[in-house]
Amino acid sequence: MTNRQIELFVPAITPFKPDLSIDTERFVAHARALMAAGAHGLAPFGTTSEANSLSVAERMAALEALIDAGIDPGQLIPGTGCCNAEDTITLSSHATRMGCRGVLMLPPFYYKGVSDDGVFDAFAQVIDAVGPNLCVYLYHIPQMSGVPITLPLIERLIARYGGQIAGLKDSSGKWENTKAVIKAFPQIDTYSASESMIPQNVATGGAGCISASLNVNPRGIRALLDGLNGPDQAALHEQVSAVRSIFEGLPLIPAIKAAVAEQNNDPEYARVRPPFVAMGDEHKDAVAEAVRIAGPQGAA
């Protein structure tokens, strides 16, 4: 097994003001609270962050706000993958210039049924344009993007770009796929998107977890990571799995934001951008139960 640091990165929610502009003050406050609660870093501007409802300018300004607030850019892996190369290059170049650890990159995701050759060319276009300082964490979420990142594609990218392909986030929810990536490419950092998979991920040689529910349960998930192979592992795993299970039965992003709002006693955190709608009263008890299990340790 390759020796590596096992880490938790949070795909931090993006709070919005009543006019639906980014609420930078709450965004920074939540990010700081997550780091204080034990997260090793942040992966903002991914799915949970509503990134595809944000403009390029908004993403860059929000990233700069995190760094200006004192968060080490080496602890940041912002999402940069867009449908067009120019936006992806702009965001990836900006993150690289800001000193970020890397970028979490979706493939172009509008056209479906594209070949590995086409997806390879899309990644290559960006990497070649940004240059050798870019570190890419591939983002595999085929149920949302419709464009899988296959093992042969990963192999080709590593053969061309070596260490610039730094890792992969597997949000497929299929452990067998995550396991296959870890086994085939031990030189890259492979993250599960579910904290319930942390024991298998770490035991197999993976790098940890990038999970939406880290927004709500950072201390519980960090406790599981720190308690692996200890006497309390089963109980810690039960706690994080219980929280995860609740969110899996709800509209995920509105539910995560509603839970953060409840933890802060601040309803402003619950606001979402269309096409999402705020969590309805029919899910209020489920969100409250997730917060009860997680405790009041989400945002501060």
Side-chain angles (χ1 to χ4, degrees):
M1 183 186 300
T2 302
N3 291 325
R4 68 175 80 249
Q5 186 175 355
I6 311 302
E7 297 173 305
L8 303 174
F9 281 82
V10 189
I13 60 166
T14 307
F16 297 116
K17 296 178 180 179
D19 65 0
L20 297 184
S21 63
I22 294 178
D23 188 332
T24 303
E25 182 177 347
R26 285 182 173 84
F27 182 60
V28 169
H30 182 57
R32 284 174 165 164
L34 293 169
M35 299 297 292
H40 297 91
L42 305 174
F45 320 124
T47 304
T48 307
S49 311
E50 301 172 76
N52 290 301
S53 298
L54 304 177
S55 71
V56 168
E58 285 177 316
R59 293 201 215 186
M60 291 194 296
L63 179 62
E64 291 174 12
L66 291 177
I67 296 170
D68 289 346
I71 294 176
D72 181 355
Q75 296 174 301
L76 297 172
I77 307 176
T80 62
C82 302
C83 282
N84 70 84
E86 182 177 354
D87 287 350
T88 304
I89 291 166
T90 297
L91 289 167
S92 300
S93 296
H94 176 257
T96 302
R97 289 196 308 273
M98 297 297 293
C100 291
R101 172 167 165 166
V103 302
L104 183 62
M105 195 180 296
L106 283 166
F109 49 85
Y110 178 78
Y111 298 107
K112 308 303 186 283
V114 295
S115 67
D116 273 7
D117 287 344
V119 181
F120 176 87
D121 289 345
F123 280 120
Q125 183 179 9
V126 174
I127 298 169
D128 290 342
V130 177
N133 291 328
L134 175 65
C135 286
V136 176
Y137 293 78
L138 303 167
Y139 189 4
H140 176 65
I141 183 168
Q143 69 275 28
M144 295 288 284
S145 70
V147 181
I149 296 176
T150 66
L151 268 64
L153 173 60
I154 299 168
E155 184 175 19
R156 287 180 63 187
L157 287 167
I158 292 173
R160 169 78 70 86
Y161 295 106
Q164 284 191 261
I165 307 302
L168 178 139
K169 178 188 178 185
D170 186 359
S171 291
S172 69
K174 298 179 179 178
W175 165 245
E176 287 305 315
N177 186 75
T178 310
K179 180 180 178 181
V181 174
I182 295 170
K183 292 292 189 180
F185 310 108
Q187 69 271 47
I188 71 172
D189 292 334
T190 300
Y191 297 90
S192 298
S194 169
E195 59 273 23
S196 297
M197 295 182 185
I198 286 175
Q200 302 102 298
N201 178 290
V202 174
T204 308
C209 184
I210 304 175
S211 167
S213 45
L214 272 159
N215 281 280
V216 179
N217 193 25
R219 287 195 171 89
I221 299 171
R222 178 60 188 266
L224 171 62
L225 191 69
D226 292 344
L228 289 176
N229 303 314
D232 298 325
Q233 177 179 319
L236 294 168
H237 188 260
E238 182 178 1
Q239 190 264 11
V240 303
S241 296
V243 175
R244 178 82 188 186
S245 178
I246 291 170
F247 286 121
E248 287 179 344
L250 300 172
L252 180 62
I253 294 167
I256 291 289
K257 296 186 92 168
V260 173
E262 186 162 332
Q263 286 177 313
N264 282 276
N265 192 28
D266 182 355
E268 296 296 308
Y269 278 99
R271 189 174 290 112
V272 293
R273 273 189 180 177
F276 291 117
V277 295
M279 184 61 54
D281 288 343
E282 68 273 20
H283 299 305
K284 183 176 181 180
D285 290 346
V287 170
E289 178 64 6
V291 169
R292 183 192 69 79
I293 297 170
Q297 75 266 30

